[in-house]
Amino acid sequence: MLHRPGRFDRLRKIRALDPVRDYHRIYRTTALWEFPFDVRMGLLLAFWRTFAVPSIAELLAATGETTHRTERRADDTGILMYTLIEHGLDDPLGRAATRRLNQLHRRYAIDNDDYRYVLGTFVFVGTRWIDRHGWRPLCCHERTAIYHFYAQLGRRLRIADIPPDLASFARWYDAFEAERFAATPAARQLITATKELLADLPKPLVPVGARIADALLDPPVREAVGVPAPPWWARALLAGALTGRARYLRHAAAPRQRQYLEGGLRAKTYPDGYDIGTVGPA
């Protein structure tokens, strides 16, 4: 099938790299050049997915950061994650972001399995979204690089017993969800507070109503967070928009000429800029 000339040039360069040694270079290209919208959607959906785990939902609700300072909490997460994605774990900014993540989480008694699960959402929610809705599926180099990026991050966050490869991590992750997902009042409170974050996402998902937001969630998550099954028109509108976007990007759109978030991430709740070492609650 015909596609836009040059559309696969970056993929060819990715395939010439070593996904273990060059994991950051590959993931950075995937996230900031090949699939910027999809990676951002993956980060949001990963956040929502954690609400389905009662122990995580109860902690997030108890801190009040997600329910009372929703936009600031989202900006904090975006700043820290995109600093790591853009600069890498060994860059001074990446080290500062990792150090800040450790500072923000060490005050809480968080179970290691919960830590591992959250790490897994960063690996699997985005990759599975891209496979369903991206303009092309991820290649094996990209999958391997994403695993190694987050496995390295997890070690630096002192997360123990990270599965040794992508396949074993996927098995552990899926089994954890099957065992631990459950409905809680905290999950319903969190999803209600955070749905409005979709209003700032790029088109074609804007404008999105609450029902279209519900269509982004699969049945196990919807059940856990207490949202109803979306109506047929919401599912159809979402599917049509995502399919049309993927086809346009693959066959008609020129390859991206500027890096996503070039010049840095601009956050509404930090109008005067930010210091990576103090991002997040005091």
Side-chain angles (χ1 to χ4, degrees):
M1 186 177 291
L2 295 176
H3 56 79
R4 179 82 182 206
R7 201 68 186 93
F8 291 88
D9 288 354
R10 290 194 183 99
L11 178 59
R12 282 189 283 271
K13 293 178 181 178
I14 285 171
R15 286 175 169 165
L17 299 173
D18 182 326
V20 178
R21 183 191 63 224
D22 303 317
Y23 66 85
H24 173 242
R25 184 176 173 187
I26 292 173
Y27 184 39
R28 185 177 186 275
T29 301
T30 301
L32 302 182
W33 291 94
E34 293 284 87
F35 299 101
F37 168 80
D38 304 279
V39 168
R40 187 176 177 188
M41 276 300 302
L43 291 173
L44 173 62
L45 294 176
F47 182 48
W48 279 354
R49 204 165 188 87
T50 64
F51 300 168
V53 180
S55 53
I56 298 175
E58 288 162 10
L59 176 61
L60 290 172
T63 67
E65 290 297 316
T66 301
T67 51
H68 301 304
R69 291 175 288 279
T70 308
E71 190 169 14
R72 180 64 173 258
R73 170 67 168 77
D75 284 346
D76 292 342
T77 302
I79 289 167
L80 291 168
M81 294 310 299
Y82 275 104
T83 297
L84 292 167
I85 291 169
E86 180 171 7
H87 298 283
L89 303 176
D90 293 323
D91 181 89
L93 282 174
R95 290 181 183 275
T98 304
R99 185 163 54 250
R100 187 59 178 153
L101 285 169
N102 274 316
Q103 290 170 349
L104 292 171
H105 290 93
R106 69 187 179 193
R107 70 188 72 177
Y108 305 111
I110 301 174
D111 182 77
N112 188 71
D113 279 353
D114 287 350
Y115 267 131
R116 277 196 293 176
Y117 176 69
V118 173
L119 190 71
T121 64
F122 291 133
V123 176
F124 297 111
V125 177
T127 56
R128 292 172 180 180
W129 169 276
I130 291 171
D131 286 342
R132 287 192 300 270
H133 304 301
W135 62 269
R136 64 166 175 83
L138 293 171
C139 79
C140 58
H141 277 40
E142 289 170 308
R143 296 178 200 282
T144 301
I146 290 169
Y147 164 77
H148 281 285
F149 179 89
Y150 284 108
Q152 279 288 349
L153 174 61
R155 295 181 191 106
R156 297 177 191 210
L157 295 177
R158 306 185 185 111
I159 300 173
D161 301 321
I162 299 168
D165 54 57
L166 188 63
S168 59
F169 201 178
R171 289 191 297 270
W172 181 90
Y173 174 86
D174 290 334
F176 180 93
E177 288 194 342
E179 179 183 348
R180 297 283 296 275
F181 272 16
T184 60
R188 291 192 291 274
Q189 182 184 11
L190 291 163
I191 198 68
T192 299
T194 56
K195 273 185 183 179
E196 64 189 39
L197 295 174
L198 278 174
D200 289 333
L201 288 176
K203 295 180 179 181
L205 295 183
V206 178
V208 294
R211 287 307 183 92
I212 297 175
D214 293 344
L216 289 165
L217 305 175
D218 60 27
V221 176
R222 286 202 303 268
E223 183 178 350
V225 301
V227 302
W232 69 267
W233 60 262
R235 296 193 303 271
L237 183 59
L238 180 64
L242 292 172
T243 299
R245 176 184 175 275
R247 289 176 177 171
Y248 168 73
L249 290 176
R250 183 180 181 94
H251 302 299
R256 175 176 284 272
Q257 299 301 309
R258 297 182 62 189
Q259 177 186 295
Y260 181 62
L261 299 179
E262 184 173 328
L265 190 147
R266 296 171 180 82
K268 289 183 179 179
T269 57
Y270 291 92
D272 300 320
Y274 52 83
D275 175 2
I276 199 69
T278 58
V279 164

